[in-house]
Amino acid sequence: MSEAKGDAGRPRAADRPLSPHLLNWRPHLTMTVSILHRFTGMALYAGALIVAGWTAALAGGAESYDTYRGLLGSPLGRLVLLGVAFSIFYHLAGGLRHLAWDLGYGFEKRTADTTATAVVAFAVTATIAVGAIVFFAGLGLL
Amino acid sequence: MAGYRTPLGRVRGLGSAKHGVGHFIGQRVSAVALIVLVLWGVYSALGLAQMDYAGAQAWARSPWHAIPIAFLLCAALYHGQLGMRVVIEDYIHKPMTKNALLILSLFACWLGAAIGVFSILKVAFGGGAY
């Protein structure tokens, strides 16, 4: 940040209240939740392309479908899909929070903290639920 | 440029044509659609995970599945393109790199949507392998 040379009478750049750079903030809940919202959004960009790939594999016939299914079913594939599931639930809940803000609700500090906690809690719970469904279905229990 | 224009004329030329909020509104409208679509998508994926090729093919032939999945893909890629645009604009400041990435992202989303819709229609209209 360069200091203004200072025309007399005009406030110098350094005197004006400035919003500190991102890295100057002590990490806190609403900030972390906000960053994760963007991060999960970027993950879902890849997730959407994975779904597009799935449709292509299905249209390609049994062989390509089985190959793609094998990829998604591999340990790494399962990890990626679990990450996509988490990103979906997180971004969904965070998105609802954003829509509420757009309507003018939920800006109070305590409300923002509460909804931030709710977003994380929902995402974690829903992801565990989905993981459990896949796990137990794989064991033939569902 | 065009130094003879009055300030008012310049403002009229550069100002709101009521299209400035297109990105904002597109993001929100697709978000609302995706609330339902994405939940249906997770539910469907859990079912599809248990199916083999024949089962998945039969699943995708139903219009009750083919139409929503096409809708889901298009809405997700549209929403994702808008979001990725903001990310690129926020962090990439070199004009050439920034614009190249924006165009690349746009192409990737259009390609994903085209492949997805084509593949879904191909399966839905009864084609087998290529």
Side-chain angles (χ1 to χ4, degrees):
Chain A
M1 179 81 39
S2 64
E3 298 234 312
K5 291 268 156 53
D7 298 331
R10 247 177 73 197
R12 293 154 62 94
D15 297 336
R16 293 199 292 267
L18 293 172
S19 176
H21 184 265
L22 186 67
L23 297 175
N24 293 342
W25 291 90
R26 176 177 51 81
H28 52 271
L29 182 65
T30 46
M31 169 188 180
T32 311
V33 165
S34 168
I35 292 170
L36 253 178
H37 190 74
R38 176 165 285 204
F39 202 76
T40 52
M42 294 198 292
L44 289 172
Y45 186 95
L49 293 176
I50 291 175
V51 175
W54 178 84
T55 64
L58 182 65
E63 205 175 309
S64 68
Y65 188 75
D66 288 342
T67 308
Y68 203 79
R69 199 158 172 251
L71 275 173
L72 293 181
S74 70
L76 182 64
R78 282 167 186 264
L79 192 68
V80 168
L81 288 183
L82 201 65
V84 170
F86 174 80
S87 299
I88 286 174
F89 293 128
Y90 187 94
H91 207 79
L92 175 67
L96 288 171
R97 191 162 166 256
H98 270 275
L99 288 173
W101 284 336
D102 291 340
L103 296 172
Y105 300 108
F107 288 111
E108 298 77 17
K109 238 193 255 180
R110 289 196 59 174
T111 316
D113 277 343
T114 309
T115 52
T117 312
V119 166
V120 176
F122 170 75
V124 170
T125 312
T127 308
I128 292 173
V130 160
I133 289 172
V134 173
F135 180 72
F136 289 119
L139 294 179
L141 297 176
L142 283 180
Chain B
M1 194 184 86
Y4 56 85
R5 293 175 69 186
T6 64
L8 179 62
R10 209 160 57 235
V11 162
R12 280 193 176 136
L14 296 173
S16 169
K18 306 267 192 268
H19 293 294
V21 290
H23 182 287
F24 181 92
I25 291 175
Q27 189 93 69
R28 269 79 190 164
V29 172
S30 53
V32 170
L34 283 165
I35 295 172
V36 181
L37 288 169
V38 106
L39 286 172
W40 171 83
V42 171
Y43 168 77
S44 303
L46 286 173
L48 283 160
Q50 307 304 315
M51 295 177 201
D52 60 358
Y53 170 67
Q57 200 185 28
W59 181 89
R61 281 199 174 137
S62 161
W64 294 102
H65 303 142
I67 293 170
I69 198 178
F71 199 1
L72 166 61
L73 248 183
C74 292
L77 286 167
Y78 174 69
H79 187 86
Q81 191 273 127
L82 291 174
M84 192 56 86
R85 178 183 186 94
V86 176
V87 173
I88 293 169
E89 286 171 345
D90 275 359
Y91 303 126
I92 313 291
H93 302 303
K94 277 185 179 169
M96 274 296 274
T97 319
K98 182 184 78 180
N99 289 325
L101 285 172
L102 286 175
I103 292 170
L104 192 71
S105 166
L106 193 63
F107 285 178
C109 290
W110 275 103
L111 188 68
I115 289 173
V117 170
F118 172 82
S119 304
I120 291 156
L121 291 180
K122 184 174 182 293
V123 175
F125 290 149
Y130 282 127

